[in-house]
Structures are given as C-alpha cells and as structure tokens.
Amino acid sequence: MAELRRLLVVVDMQHDFVDGALGTPEAVRILPAVRTLVEEWRGDVAYTQDTHGADYAATQEGKFLPVPHCIQGTYGWEIVPELRTGKSARIFEKGTFGSVALAEYAREYDEVALCGVCTDICVVSNALLIKAFSPEAAIYCVADACAGTSPAAHEAALATMRCCQVQTVSSAHLLIR
C-alpha cells in the first residue's frame, strides 16, 4: 500500500493577525500548538500569507474591514518568527480569504490539515476550497491550533466545516498517526 501524501497548511500566522493590527489573545495562545504541528508533521508544509497593497482601503475588503493589515513588505505581513523552524515549506501569498493556487496544489495530497487564523474567515475559506478541488481527500481542521475572530465565531466555523465533510480534530490526533 502506498504511503499517504500529507500536507499541513498554516493559514495566515502573520504578525498583524497574531500580535498586530488584528491580533487576538487566542491567536497568541495557539502559537505553541501550531509550532509543534510544523515541527512534528510527517509530510509537506505550506503557509498562506495574507497579502495586501498600499491601496487596501480602496478594495472591497478594505471597505468592509477598514483596518489596514498585512501590507506586503511590512512587519505585520511577515510570518511570526516562532514558526520559522527551518523546515522547508511552500508559501502562498493571497489577496483574498482563500487561495485557489493552494487548492490546486493540494490536489496532489491524500490528506490535508489546516491550522492558523482566522478560523471563521481564512481557515474555513481555504478548507472549503481544498475540499471542492479534492473531494476525495481527507480534509482536517486542527481545532486546538486555530483561532477565530472570537471564540463564538471559531466554534461556528468548526460547525460549518463539519457540515461540509471537513473533520475537526486535535493536534495530538494528527501527530500520533
């Protein structure tokens, strides 16, 4: 039997979502769990990197969320140093909540696990895109390694993903496999 191809997707763990403009205590709290996943993951790793330009305020997103964040080349745009483990990883810069390029890339994998922020925006968007592009792959959301815009929004996003056949699991469950 062939070995399963596994991909860990670390969603938007950038300064502006952890300790910057849109940071939350929950995002800071998940850092150790996300780092452990990256370090111990048996498979490939990819990061998404929310990427906006100086014209952010004029964009559709900027009109709904008037907080400039993840402006390319700024400190807030950078992936937090706690996750720079030296492990080889692919980075997908994205100007929208979900990355079609990531979903296309994920087609090569039997299992895809997602962690990061925000559960209720970019994590769920990427999980559902990947599920749409790879309907037969096992897709997981690592609940204890994700943070939403609020605890209630996090729980609602997990429920939405379960309805769409994205399994919610703990990091311990994935790492023992």
Side-chain angles (χ1 to χ4, degrees), residues 59-174:
T59 68
Q60 188 71 16
E61 181 180 330
K63 291 173 187 168
F64 282 93
L65 178 63
V67 179
H69 64 280
C70 300
I71 306 301
Q72 188 171 30
T74 66
Y75 176 80
W77 174 73
E78 295 174 9
I79 294 170
V80 295
E82 293 87 343
L83 301 181
R84 296 185 209 142
T85 64
K87 189 171 189 176
S88 176
R90 178 125 182 229
I91 296 176
F92 291 87
E93 291 182 12
K94 59 181 188 58
T96 61
F97 301 141
S99 170
V100 171
L102 170 65
E104 289 173 338
Y105 175 76
R107 284 180 170 162
E108 302 297 318
Y109 294 89
D110 304 300
E111 292 183 352
V112 180
L114 295 98
C115 63
V117 295
C118 295
T119 319
D120 50 312
I121 302 173
C122 294
V123 174
V124 69
S125 295
N126 283 290
L128 296 180
L129 272 171
I130 292 167
K131 188 66 179 171
F133 276 72
S134 303
E136 295 305 314
I139 312 298
Y140 302 98
C141 178
V142 188
D144 63 315
C146 286
T149 55
S150 72
H154 170 77
E155 291 301 324
L158 294 176
T160 296
M161 286 186 268
R162 284 191 295 271
C163 288
C164 296
Q165 302 172 3
V166 173
Q167 301 170 60
T168 55
V169 296
S170 70
S171 53
H173 171 83
L174 283 180

Side-chain angles (χ1 to χ4, degrees), residues 39-55:
E39 289 176 336
E40 297 183 19
W41 183 254
R42 289 186 303 256
D44 294 333
V45 177
Y47 289 88
T48 66
Q49 192 169 22
D50 198 42
T51 302
H52 300 292
D55 66 341

